Amino acid sequence: MEMMGFVFSQDLTNIMTGKASEDKGRNDIVAAMESDKQYSVGQHIWSTLQVYINPLVASLPEHAHLLAEHGCYTSEKGIECGTTGNNVESVLPDSFKPLKLTDDMDKEWSELVKDLELA
């Protein structure tokens, strides 16, 4: 992958495999799962995933929103600009902010996938 210009990210790999590992013992994702069985949910993700970044693609202006973080600082880093004091000069546009996920969104997703068959 690196010969093709991609850069391996151990930090992002650790974050994503850690997230996937949180669900590995679940048996409640789809209705076909039996409560007394172990399914190793996301095994291919938490056991083999590697995250690579393509700097040429990541640097394109149309992808700038994927790497944005709040950049104002007080006693802690990453404070949203424009929410306190005079730091209104570098407010992120709404299109750069992450989606705000809600419990209702999670419920809708669960309803959508609950009847999938196990293969």
Side-chain angles (χ1 to χ4, degrees):
M1 293 292 289
E2 290 183 347
M3 288 175 51
M4 295 187 297
F6 291 87
V7 178
F8 175 70
S9 172
Q10 186 66 57
D11 288 338
L12 292 176
T13 296
N14 292 343
I15 289 168
M16 297 312 298
T17 54
K19 275 294 191 192
S21 292
E22 292 174 9
D23 286 340
K24 67 178 164 182
R26 290 185 64 181
N27 56 10
D28 62 343
I29 297 174
V30 296
M33 291 179 144
E34 298 175 31
S35 62
D36 60 340
K37 285 190 177 181
Q38 184 174 347
Y39 291 92
S40 298
V41 173
Q43 179 178 3
H44 290 63
I45 298 171
W46 49 259
S47 64
T48 62
L49 178 78
Q50 294 183 338
V51 177
Y52 289 85
I53 301 165
N54 183 334
L56 291 175
V57 173
S59 65
L60 294 172
E62 57 265 34
H63 298 304
H65 69 284
L66 298 174
L67 305 172
E69 292 184 7
H70 297 299
C72 288
Y73 297 86
T74 57
S75 59
E76 56 186 280
K77 70 176 194 166
I79 304 299
E80 185 173 357
C81 298
T83 58
T84 61
N86 295 325
N87 52 9
V88 295
E89 70 283 347
S90 54
V91 176
L92 282 177
D94 287 342
S95 62
F96 276 54
K97 295 177 183 176
L99 292 176
K100 293 188 180 180
L101 301 177
T102 65
D103 288 339
D104 287 339
M105 293 166 113
D106 285 343
K107 288 176 189 169
E108 286 179 35
W109 176 254
S110 294
E111 275 298 310
L112 186 67
V113 300
K114 75 173 181 156
D115 292 326
L116 292 175
E117 293 182 24
L118 297 177

